[in-house]
Amino acid sequence: VEVGRFVFAAVSLVHGKLRVAVPKPIELAKDGSYNVLEFLRGKVLKKHEVAALPYDKRRDMGVTLAGVLNDLNTNLTREEVSAIPSKRPVIRNRDDYYAQVYETAGSQDGGYAALYRRQYELMQSMRPGGSASNIIVFGDLSSPNLVLSDDYQVTGLIDWTELGLGDIH
């Protein structure tokens, strides 16, 4: 019930404000026992299927998702996201987790580990006071939540259970 209410409020807040479709909220039961959301047409791929796509398709997906994150932080305010009625935590501080990944990357070889460390250091320099929990995040950008067109363009996002305020990572 709590998750259903949260999702209904989240999609109500973001519907029509992003460059991709979000299920339109249709009905929330008075007792919160169910919600009805509009169906989004498209396909959903598994992680390995996304990884197998040509580079240009994966790059286009990344560009679209970066635009969606920009839309979230341009078209919504921290106060609007914080006002979603919920017993669930809206602020998700993952500083300790990312610091641990940074330490692990220091003991690994390869370009990705070095790139992660450089990006982490850049993000830390941008937020010297600690967590930047004023960044609005989708929270679950994974392949099962991306609705794709026949030519593999991201046309929609589903599963808004992790919308919240997070750190800049």
Side-chain angles (χ1 to χ4, degrees):
V1 169
E2 183 65 24
V3 171
R5 285 181 177 161
F6 181 87
V7 168
F8 194 85
V11 296
S12 296
L13 178 62
V14 301
H15 182 71
K17 296 180 181 175
L18 307 178
R19 65 191 68 212
V20 299
V22 170
K24 179 181 176 183
I26 297 172
E27 179 183 0
L28 176 64
K30 288 183 182 182
D31 65 357
S33 60
Y34 69 87
N35 67 38
V36 179
L37 305 175
E38 176 185 59
F39 179 77
L40 295 184
R41 294 196 181 277
K43 58 186 164 189
V44 174
L45 300 180
K46 295 179 181 170
K47 184 178 176 179
H48 70 275
E49 293 171 315
V50 170
L53 291 174
Y55 170 78
D56 63 321
K57 295 294 183 190
R58 290 181 285 127
R59 182 198 59 226
D60 291 348
M61 291 171 80
V63 169
T64 299
L65 295 175
V68 167
L69 295 175
N70 187 57
D71 291 346
L72 284 173
N73 284 279
T74 302
N75 301 331
L76 303 175
T77 66
R78 178 184 177 170
E79 292 74 28
E80 288 174 311
V81 173
S82 296
I84 295 174
S86 181
K87 296 175 187 166
R88 305 171 74 236
V90 175
I91 296 177
R92 293 167 179 84
N93 184 333
R94 305 274 315 261
D95 285 345
D96 293 340
Y97 169 77
Y98 290 111
Q100 185 178 23
V101 173
Y102 174 80
E103 293 304 320
T104 301
S107 64
Q108 296 174 332
D109 294 327
Y112 288 116
L115 178 62
Y116 182 84
R117 287 183 65 84
R118 281 196 307 275
Q119 286 301 110
Y120 181 87
E121 290 164 1
L122 176 62
M123 294 297 106
Q124 291 300 318
S125 71
M126 293 172 67
R127 57 186 203 120
S131 179
S133 59
N134 59 345
I135 306 299
I136 300 170
V137 296
F138 176 74
D140 194 5
L141 282 176
S142 58
S143 55
N145 297 332
L146 308 178
V147 178
L148 306 173
S149 65
D150 287 337
D151 62 346
Y152 304 103
Q153 299 296 311
V154 178
T155 58
L157 286 175
I158 56 176
D159 189 357
W160 287 86
T161 56
E162 298 300 318
L163 178 69
L165 303 172
D167 61 50
I168 201 165
H169 295 91

